[in-house]
Amino acid sequence: MPRERVINQEKMATGGEQWKEKTAEEQAIDDWLPVTSSRKAKWWYSTFHNVTAMVGAGVLSLPYAMSNMGWGPGVTMMIISWVVTFYTLWQMVEMHEIVPGKRFDRYHELGQHAFGEKLGLYIVVPQQLVVEVSTCIVYMVTGGKSLQKFHHSVCPDCQSIKLTYFILIFASIHFVLSHLPNFNSISIISLAAAVMSLTYSTIAWTAALGKGKGNDVEYTLRGENTLDNTFNFFNALGDIAFAYAGHNVVLEIQATIPSTPEMPSKKPMWKGVIFAYIIVALCYFPVAFIGYHTFGNTVDDNILLTLDKPRWLIAAANMFVLIHVVGSYQIYAMPVFDMMETYLVKQVKFKPSFKLRFITRTLYVGITMFIAMTFPFFGGLLGFFGGFALAPTTYFLPCIMWLIICKPKKFSFSWIINWLFILLGLILMIVSPIGGLRNIILSAKSYKFYQ
């Protein structure tokens, strides 16, 4: 490809009339990579991509998290998490174009600007990969379990089928969908997933409301002793942190929105985020509070398991969960595809091609499928990964970057609130993996492979 200079004709929001020059080869690579290949998204794309990324099947475990915390701490943490993550998401939307003439299309690019070229990569990329890969594996397990629950609901007298086979069926969907080139190409899938998340969440809390509170419902903590309750509390913090995770893909989502000096991308992106967070509240709070109110400390880690009637409605809800995690898997896999393809094309100097994309993406789906089939109690890692990786990237890493880049005046409101959120995030990162790790050890003791 010739090396003549071309102009990337994309005016930056904060850059006025500044232009960014690229070689024809660099522009061709950007036009091929998943995150930067299309900038035609509308504001509502931001809404359903963010809903799909955030409102995962983890919403169904929120009543269980509440039962490990009790009413006071549970309600407090649910509301604080909503406020904190809403604020940090706003920060990331604002920082997307904070440098004149440049867009930070990927989380690690913003990290490199804040911490330095090498240190930014070392800080952000490992955490982002842990979040995205672990989430894909969790959703692989969730998709298989939803299929299994659906099969059992519609045919309770049929012969039992191993979870391994259902995970394999779920993975086969992604061996096809993972070859869609970019975020905009999965918009319909993401929209369907967002609608499904609102639907199954509504089914969960309305069915619980319809069932009503029983006479023997108790709200005491479910642990047998203080030690159990402490570890369960730590794990519940991780469950809530996992439920509010969506920041790892927010810059990549914003990268698909066009930007001009008159209409910077942050305006439509922020509009979409506001609608997304309203939907998040409509999904999370009723499920968590009504589910816990109805079942107390006997609620299962998936409220749909506790709600066994009406059978047809619960079967439908599990199918809706399946459709949702199909979209969620793709939303979290796309930035991983982008990282792999960027490295192979820009660093290893492979030629951009369908063959390269086919091999890398098929391998990724295969690896996540294999791990999910081997360790299907991976859902028990929600608490561990919720604290270990999601708390930093969601709760306090945006605050640290904001302090470095924007430099708010010491002891100003912005300075104080960011340090408070950093402290909260650090506490989450330290204590929640402890509870999660304990649950993993307990699950592993009685586990048999490929059952």
Side-chain angles (χ1 to χ4, degrees):
M1 183 175 291
R3 298 282 300 181
E4 70 268 21
R5 306 298 294 179
V6 297
I7 300 296
N8 177 23
Q9 297 184 355
E10 182 180 338
K11 292 184 180 179
M12 298 298 136
T14 54
E17 294 299 321
Q18 294 190 36
W19 303 80
K20 185 179 179 183
E21 291 189 355
K22 292 184 179 181
T23 65
E25 184 179 5
E26 289 170 338
Q27 186 60 48
I29 289 173
D30 281 348
D31 290 342
W32 183 77
L33 291 171
V35 169
T36 51
S37 63
S38 177
R39 297 195 193 270
K40 298 178 181 178
K42 308 297 183 184
W43 71 264
W44 55 85
Y45 285 43
S46 162
T47 297
F48 54 75
H49 282 327
N50 276 291
V51 170
T52 301
M54 187 168 292
V55 188
V59 65
L60 301 173
S61 69
L62 290 177
Y64 180 79
M66 290 279 295
S67 72
N68 284 319
M69 303 178 84
W71 276 114
V75 171
T76 302
M77 273 308 301
M78 286 290 298
I79 294 173
I80 287 176
S81 291
W82 190 91
V83 172
V84 171
T85 56
F86 189 43
Y87 175 76
T88 54
L89 193 52
W90 168 78
Q91 288 180 313
M92 296 193 71
V93 170
E94 287 290 315
M95 288 189 287
H96 180 80
E97 294 170 313
I98 202 160
V99 175
K102 184 172 178 62
R103 295 182 71 170
F104 297 110
D105 294 324
R106 299 164 178 90
Y107 204 139
H108 69 82
E109 291 176 4
L110 185 61
Q112 286 176 291
H113 177 68
F115 302 112
E117 198 71 23
K118 286 189 176 180
L119 185 59
L121 278 178
Y122 296 150
I123 290 174
V124 176
V125 170
Q127 292 186 78
Q128 195 177 12
L129 278 174
V130 167
V131 169
E132 288 161 357
V133 175
S134 64
T135 303
C136 284
I137 297 169
V138 168
Y139 285 154
M140 193 71 79
V141 174
T142 306
K145 285 186 175 179
S146 297
L147 264 176
Q148 188 181 48
K149 291 170 197 168
F150 176 79
H151 174 259
H152 179 70
S153 296
V154 298
C155 189
D157 299 323
C158 292
Q159 183 179 352
S160 178
I161 300 175
K162 290 181 180 179
L163 176 61
T164 303
Y165 297 132
F166 286 109
I167 293 175
L168 184 62
I169 294 168
F170 181 76
S172 66
I173 300 170
H174 295 290
F175 279 116
V176 177
L177 293 182
S178 291
H179 300 297
L180 293 170
N182 52 46
F183 270 110
N184 285 348
S185 65
I186 62 172
S187 294
I188 298 298
I189 298 166
S190 182
L191 174 60
V195 172
M196 291 301 103
S197 64
L198 185 60
T199 305
Y200 69 69
S201 298
T202 304
I203 289 173
W205 70 260
T206 51
L209 192 65
K211 184 179 179 65
K213 177 186 173 183
N215 295 325
D216 55 345
V217 170
E218 295 182 359
Y219 301 111
T220 53
L221 297 180
R222 60 196 306 142
E224 294 181 2
N225 51 55
T226 304
L227 185 64
D228 281 350
N229 287 330
T230 302
F231 281 118
N232 289 342
F233 184 88
F234 290 166
N235 192 65
L237 287 174
D239 288 345
I240 292 175
F242 192 94
Y244 280 98
H247 295 48
N248 292 276
V249 295
V250 68
L251 291 178
E252 288 82 352
I253 292 170
Q254 190 169 349
T256 65
I257 297 175
S259 182
T260 66
E262 297 77 24
M263 181 57 74
S265 67
K266 67 181 180 181
K267 290 185 178 180
M269 181 68 181
W270 182 234
K271 185 178 179 181
V273 165
I274 290 172
F275 276 91
Y277 256 74
I278 291 171
I279 295 171
V280 167
L282 291 174
C283 291
Y284 282 20
F285 296 141
V287 172
F289 302 155
I290 295 174
Y292 182 47
H293 176 265
T294 301
F295 299 108
N297 59 14
T298 60
V299 69
D300 290 294
D301 59 359
N302 180 339
I303 192 173
L304 293 182
L305 291 176
T306 317
L307 291 162
D308 53 353
K309 293 179 182 179
R311 189 178 294 275
W312 65 269
L313 189 63
I314 305 308
N318 277 301
M319 188 51 63
F320 296 153
V321 172
L322 174 73
I323 296 169
H324 172 79
V325 292
V326 167
S328 292
Y329 182 98
Q330 290 299 313
I331 287 289
Y332 278 92
M334 198 61 73
V336 182
F337 297 156
D338 183 79
M339 284 187 201
M340 292 191 300
E341 291 164 16
T342 299
Y343 175 77
L344 291 171
V345 172
K346 292 188 175 182
Q347 300 298 321
V348 188
K349 302 298 182 183
F350 279 116
K351 184 180 178 181
S353 64
F354 171 78
K355 183 179 179 181
L356 175 68
R357 180 165 279 172
F358 181 84
I359 292 171
T360 54
R361 296 189 180 191
T362 301
L363 276 173
Y364 178 79
V365 174
I367 290 168
T368 55
M369 177 194 73
F370 173 75
I371 297 173
M373 290 167 65
T374 307
F375 306 105
F377 60 84
F378 206 92
L381 292 175
L382 290 182
F384 180 79
F385 283 108
F388 182 68
L390 287 160
T393 55
T394 302
Y395 283 79
F396 69 86
L397 200 54
C399 296
I400 295 174
M401 292 191 291
W402 183 270
L403 290 172
I404 294 171
I405 296 170
C406 299
K407 296 178 174 61
K409 188 178 178 180
K410 190 175 286 189
F411 301 115
S412 65
F413 177 77
S414 176
W415 187 89
I416 292 170
I417 204 75
N418 277 287
W419 276 111
L420 281 174
F421 291 168
I422 290 169
L423 182 63
L424 173 67
L426 282 170
I427 293 170
L428 266 177
M429 186 183 74
I430 294 167
V431 302
S432 58
I434 297 171
L437 191 60
R438 178 174 178 265
N439 281 358
I440 294 165
I441 293 168
L442 292 175
S443 298
K445 282 182 179 179
S446 58
Y447 176 67
K448 294 180 181 179
F449 287 102
Y450 305 111
Q451 292 299 306

